[in-house]
Amino acid sequence: MVPLPESFRAYRYQTGIDRIRDAYRASADTINKAVSEATLACVQHLESGVDDSEYDDDGVLLASTAHSLAQAELDAILAVTVVREAFITSAFHYWERSARAWTGLHGFEHKFPVLRKATRRLYRVSPQLPNLNRLNNVLKHNSHRVDRTLLKKRPDYFGSLFPRTNGNNPPEPRLRLSHEHVEEAFDIVRASGPTL
């Protein structure tokens, strides 16, 4: 078998990450449009002043257009989160699969540190790649969604669901990924392998 020229390897790697990025952007556009439409429908209904809420004899809410629209808006917002997380994981796994092919390290014992070190002998690797690896592991394995090392190194990945009420009990940080974090993940992967 004739080895592929390095320029082709770089082209193949870089266009692969371009395809993942383009798929993310198309998905993000669709999801963001759904959020905007759901928010607009919710606001328009509230501004209309119509209250079609139905209650049972005990005063328990049975049905409400306002409630249904608010739930649809929340579902759309949660979908944005899922899309961002999925594409960050996809980007990291693309690097991992590629690095295994470049280095020939396919064994279970070849964890991230070994794979990264072997890749660094061949190509430049982004200094942010270890943080992306940690983020990927949080997304895949950590039900509490907080990695203290990652929180210290990348506090911008985290936020609080509730405002701080007092100094004794600060709110627990939760993963809060933005569009910019996803785009950054693509840049990290792009800078961690063969370049054109």
Side-chain angles (χ1 to χ4, degrees):
M1 177 190 279
V2 176
L4 295 173
E6 192 61 27
S7 61
F8 182 75
R9 182 179 282 186
Y11 172 78
R12 186 171 61 184
Y13 179 67
Q14 296 295 326
T15 57
I17 195 63
D18 286 344
R19 281 192 291 275
I20 297 169
R21 183 205 60 214
D22 292 347
Y24 164 71
R25 288 178 178 172
S27 297
D29 287 347
T30 300
I31 296 287
N32 288 333
K33 182 179 177 193
V35 170
S36 295
E37 290 171 355
T39 300
L40 179 62
C42 196
V43 167
Q44 287 175 337
H45 179 74
L46 291 174
E47 288 176 350
S48 74
V50 173
D51 183 7
D52 62 354
S53 300
E54 295 179 32
Y55 299 90
D56 69 8
D57 294 338
D58 296 323
V60 175
L61 179 66
L62 297 174
S64 164
T65 300
H67 179 75
S68 296
L69 291 172
Q71 185 62 49
E73 181 183 26
L74 179 61
D75 289 344
I77 291 168
L78 293 174
V80 169
T81 301
V82 170
V83 167
R84 288 176 183 163
E85 292 177 359
F87 277 95
I88 286 174
T89 297
S90 294
F92 180 78
H93 284 156
Y94 177 75
W95 174 83
E96 190 174 42
R97 284 188 313 273
S98 298
R100 290 189 183 285
W102 304 324
T103 63
L105 300 174
H106 298 284
F108 184 74
E109 70 278 8
H110 301 124
K111 305 278 188 216
F112 174 76
V114 173
L115 195 55
R116 178 177 168 246
K117 184 177 179 181
T119 300
R120 287 177 70 179
R121 288 188 207 116
L122 301 171
Y123 305 111
R124 187 174 67 90
V125 172
S126 170
Q128 285 296 319
L129 191 64
N131 291 330
L132 186 59
N133 175 55
R134 283 188 171 282
L135 177 58
N136 176 62
N137 286 333
V138 167
L139 293 172
K140 289 184 349 182
H141 305 296
N142 187 343
S143 61
H144 298 291
R145 303 177 90 62
V146 176
D147 175 303
R148 295 295 170 195
T149 302
L150 186 60
L151 178 61
K152 183 178 177 183
K153 292 184 176 199
R154 290 300 304 264
D156 59 301
Y157 285 164
F158 298 89
S160 298
L161 292 177
F162 305 105
R164 186 180 204 126
T165 54
N166 62 44
N168 295 332
N169 295 320
E172 184 68 20
R174 304 290 286 177
L175 202 56
R176 300 296 268 320
L177 298 172
S178 68
H179 168 76
E180 291 73 23
H181 290 130
V182 184
E183 292 287 345
E184 179 191 37
F186 298 137
D187 292 341
I188 292 167
V189 170
R190 182 179 306 288
S192 299
T195 57
L196 296 170

